[in-house]
Amino acid sequence: VSMAATRSAVRRPPASAYVVQSSARRRSEFAGAGFSGRGAATEAADHLERATRAEPSLFEAWDHLAGARLAAGQPAEALAAAEKARALRPGDFAPHNRVAQIVSTVRGMREALPLLRQAADRWPREPLAWQNLGVVLANLHEPEAALEALD
């Protein structure tokens, strides 16, 4: 599997491109809202925040809220939302990966390393888990470990 194929298989729409609407019957609809830029990311995050209050168990709202908060320059809030999304789907690679990415961005690669190793152990058939681990190890000047992860 090529890296491009792996990225396209895992790529998700940007969080700032959605508004979540909730109903009593627990249906959710995502409609493109045309948000772009930091101010718009804040606006998107506000909409998503309302969705999480209306439907606290709605994974998609928490997941997209994490991306919107990060784009809005609110890393602590982004991490909190990503952690909530991961708690809602503990067996899913994608929310675990988002937490690792945010930790890497906010706290640094060294801090994200245990999460990346955990992802590679839990999802050994997930190419992105190994790719992320290898890239971080290479950036941390651990070439042998990076090559092993990328092999």
Side-chain angles (χ1 to χ4, degrees), residues 75-91:
E77 293 86 350
L79 185 56
E83 290 283 5
K84 178 65 177 175
R86 183 172 69 164
L88 289 170
R89 291 212 183 144

Side-chain angles (χ1 to χ4, degrees), residues 34-133:
F35 294 113
S36 64
R38 184 170 284 198
T42 301
E43 185 179 348
D46 292 343
H47 286 285
L48 291 162
E49 192 76 48
R50 285 193 291 278
T52 61
R53 284 194 300 272
E55 295 283 346
S57 64
L58 188 60
F59 164 79
E60 290 82 2
W62 288 105
D63 187 51
H64 293 299
L65 177 60
R69 289 289 182 214
L70 194 60
Q74 301 167 336
E77 293 86 350
L79 185 56
E83 290 283 5
K84 178 65 177 175
R86 183 172 69 164
L88 289 170
R89 291 212 183 144
D92 189 347
F93 169 74
H96 185 90
N97 188 52
R98 185 182 290 277
V99 169
Q101 289 173 332
I102 293 173
V103 167
S104 180
T105 301
V106 173
R107 297 182 187 158
M109 287 184 254
R110 178 94 35 214
E111 190 89 16
L113 195 54
L115 292 168
L116 296 169
R117 284 195 167 120
Q118 181 185 36
D121 288 342
R122 286 186 68 191
W123 295 280
R125 295 184 186 268
E126 177 59 61
L128 192 56
W130 294 102
Q131 178 184 336
N132 292 344
L133 178 59

